Amino acid sequence: MTRERIYLFDTTLRDGQQTPGIDFSVEDKIAIAALLDEFGFDYVEGGYPGANPTDTAFFDRKRTEKANFVAFGMTKRAGISASNDPGLATLLQAKADSICFVAKSWDYHVKVALGCSNEENLESIRESVEAANNAGKQAMIDCEHFFDGYKANPDYALSCARTAYEAGARWAVLCDTNGGTQPAEVRKIVEAVIASGVPGTSLGIHAHNDTGQAVANSLAAVEAGVRQIQGTLNGIGERCGNANLVAIIPTLALKDTYSNRFETAIGPEQLEGLTRLSHAFDELLNRSPDHQMPYVGASAFATKAGIHASALLKDPQTYEHVKPESVGNFRKVMVSDQGGKSNFINALKRRGIEVRKDDPRLDHLISMVKEREASGYAYEGADASFELLARRTLGSIPEFFKIDSFRVMVERRFDSHGRLKTISEAVVKMEIDGDTVMSVAEGHGPVNALDIALRKDLGKYQTEISDLELVDYKVRILNGGTGAITRVLIESTDRDGVRWWTVGVSENIIDASFQALMDSIIYKLMKNRQLAGRIAAE
Amino acid sequence: MTRERIYLFDTTLRDGQQTPGIDFSVEDKIAIAALLDEFGFDYVEGGYPGANPTDTAFFDRKRTEKANFVAFGMTKRAGISASNDPGLATLLQAKADSICFVAKSWDYHVKVALGCSNEENLESIRESVEAANNAGKQAMIDCEHFFDGYKANPDYALSCARTAYEAGARWAVLCDTNGGTQPAEVRKIVEAVIASGVPGTSLGIHAHNDTGQAVANSLAAVEAGVRQIQGTLNGIGERCGNANLVAIIPTLALKDTYSNRFETAIGPEQLEGLTRLSHAFDELLNRSPDHQMPYVGASAFATKAGIHASALLKDPQTYEHVKPESVGNFRKVMVSDQGGKSNFINALKRRGIEVRKDDPRLDHLISMVKEREASGYAYEGADASFELLARRTLGSIPEFFKIDSFRVMVERRFDSHGRLKTISEAVVKMEIDGDTVMSVAEGHGPVNALDIALRKDLGKYQTEISDLELVDYKVRILNGGTGAITRVLIESTDRDGVRWWTVGVSENIIDASFQALMDSIIYKLMKNRQLAGRIAAE
């Protein structure tokens, strides 16, 4: 049976720009467009040339090689001719393959926002599409507020979509701009559009996540006949985000309900690059990745409970909804005090540590982990600390250097100009290679100072750790109060882009930070020697 | 038209416990159960008594007043009688109103995980339900892997649900344990269950978010006839999370598609407490709130684009899918702060601070709060710091004492016996009543030492603060890395049992802690003089 083609339209660089806290520079956009192009999206919407300098500059060249490069903007203004509309002129001149015009399709908006008649609005749609086609570009219309517009005045909304189609637009995209439409309503309304004369092969869906159903709405629209899906990487977008393409693409590819009937440009091999794409995007924007994101999240295939261990481990299909490798992710069987022996052995195996089930040191390791976790350590979130502990317990690791003592001081006082300032200073005394080394450093705060001092002079290891970087620092107080247990988690990375977590626990936050910092450095040194950090293929 | 009742079942404390990075202590569970009970959930599933010490302790008392308190566990083991099953006995003895038994409903799991026959599994279901009913408790069965089980062997899966129902279970809950089922499949399979003889009024849905559709799957099940929804606060849960009740509840209440046909125990007034509930939960667990969460997220009603300004601002219905106030959230229009002013005036009024809308100091206060919040302060969680800031800005507060300087030192070294120890010491220099006072103290850690030193000798105020007690201390690192902004929140209490929160923000954790400690002491002194802390009736 021939499968029908679904077109994937990425609006990360256009609608995604509306995300609170995100502002793309031209360089950001160029890099992201390259990622999207390489991955295989059909359409890459680059922005709104003419609306701001960044986007105007971005469109002075076509920025994709394979993907259709789309410029976004408004329909021709009512009351002036197409050739006299400067906004339209900018769009036509942009170095894009297609233009996506946003048009009002809710009569109330036509009146209040545009201040023109319903008929004039349809004319604007028509003339914009014709202008784009005449300029040799593909035209599409984003029917803004379509579903709410349909509920308010179904005939008018339908006429907007139909006008776009009849004028020669390749796509009329139905936008749930406010994000409140429910899947059953989406299905019903899409069916009405198709019944009114616009074929599904010319219809797109643009959903927002305001009720947590952007993915479901997009798929519901496809089930009803739509053949283009608009969304963003990692579901970024204003308010609650756009439809998350990272969740939609593998669902279309791996779930029979869809994969039997539809195909996209993303084949199995490209699909394996999905996790990497999602992470690269977060990296580029310095965003904390969502560990619980469907398919690609660090926890998406992580099992905590011992319930799933032993016999079932042999048949992952029984507890995993898809193979993690198919999207470039992998299974994590997490170490926790709820897990059984099998969990441990697998966790060790993944790190290239083989141990026999009856090895007494394994029991020792397990009981140590349980004990430490009862006192605050959380090894499931600190893979590197776990690996170091395991290697020490089941064997040994080199003692690269020894910390004799450290001292951290925070002082707040008035400086010579009468201004209040706070100074943080750390002194570290260590032994490397038989020599005693003392380092002092200042920092933004006590932990920063200690971190700098620790890594300031590591003798023969100094160049080795030059690419070691701390990227995240988390503190959790357990049991409350200021005399309670503090757990510190530190995330580190290096030139390879690999990330690892280390943990420290103490009543004393500086002590806890020290433990986590030390583990980070030791792990890096071990990793450099391939003594740690190898993730075994499954 | 009479609306049908949908029952809300919260499994935050049971399935939510499987969330990577979450570990509830008994105190955590007690606090959360109280929040859930107060909000109005029908069922609160507290955990798995017998599986671990925390849960066993949690069930030695009923922990809710209104909500049905549910204990979770496994069905009776095959091969032994109900009276001889220790796990079952623990469940029956737990101080719960109901027991929710998880039962295999996928024949492959029955064979490989339980190692018994299909018929024995049905018997286990039957006898577990009977045992619970005989003990005067409501029984329900979580049909694990139901949808996958149905696809593999529909007759067997149906027989599991039917056996539960016929044995007298109040609910048979259909669980999408692997999280991969699609909404259309959920609808179809739920219809099959109802057609096989189990009425929708006895069916529940337990969805997971592995394809980003847990909310949609839950609502699809309801559309098909199910009448109980299981989920968690803020969608926590293993892998990609459980169904997010925070998105489901307002969708049921505010979207005609559902609100015309269904009702829950959450009326409009409780619904207004939703945002507070979601935030309180994150605070309790020291989790970063998801700003983009549907309905309750800080950005859920935030508009960045200028597109929605001017004329449309007058008619929010045209760009907002629901009224933010209906869920206790508020609109953030980044263009103007007109909406924000009323919020402020109300917040001040509650603290007995009257201010006129046109008072220029009010504008000053508002802009200061915005500025500080942009740099990390979170006043909505630090009521006492907000009040102090407001009183200082709109008037003045007494200067009880002045801190000239402080110094905090943490040293880790070997003591005279060759043992490694860490010492924390703080020195504080202050002026009280024209005298200079210096105090030194040691503590468990740097913040504890500073706290003790600050309060050690406050001259004439010493007896006044003798009942001041720090009960909680929370740290959050904003922007990541060790050079990032640290926010410290301190909760204090005194003899009256009143609790108040203060906040401090700095690159330096000691500095941030110092700010929060100072605000706590000043607030106590103000409160003693009835200059602060009066909560006006609303």
Side-chain angles (χ1 to χ4, degrees), chain A residues 202-213:
Chain A
S202 293
L203 287 177
I205 177 71
H206 177 111
H208 277 273
N209 204 37
D210 297 73
T211 71
Q213 299 183 87

Side-chain angles (χ1 to χ4, degrees), chain A residues 271-272 275-276 279 293-301 323-332:
Chain A
L271 190 61
E272 285 175 13
T275 300
R276 203 180 328 118
H279 291 176
M293 186 167 290
Y295 296 103
V296 302
S299 297
F301 297 95
K323 285 199 178 74
E325 296 76 24
S326 58
V327 292
N329 206 343
F330 57 89
R331 182 179 311 127
K332 277 194 188 69

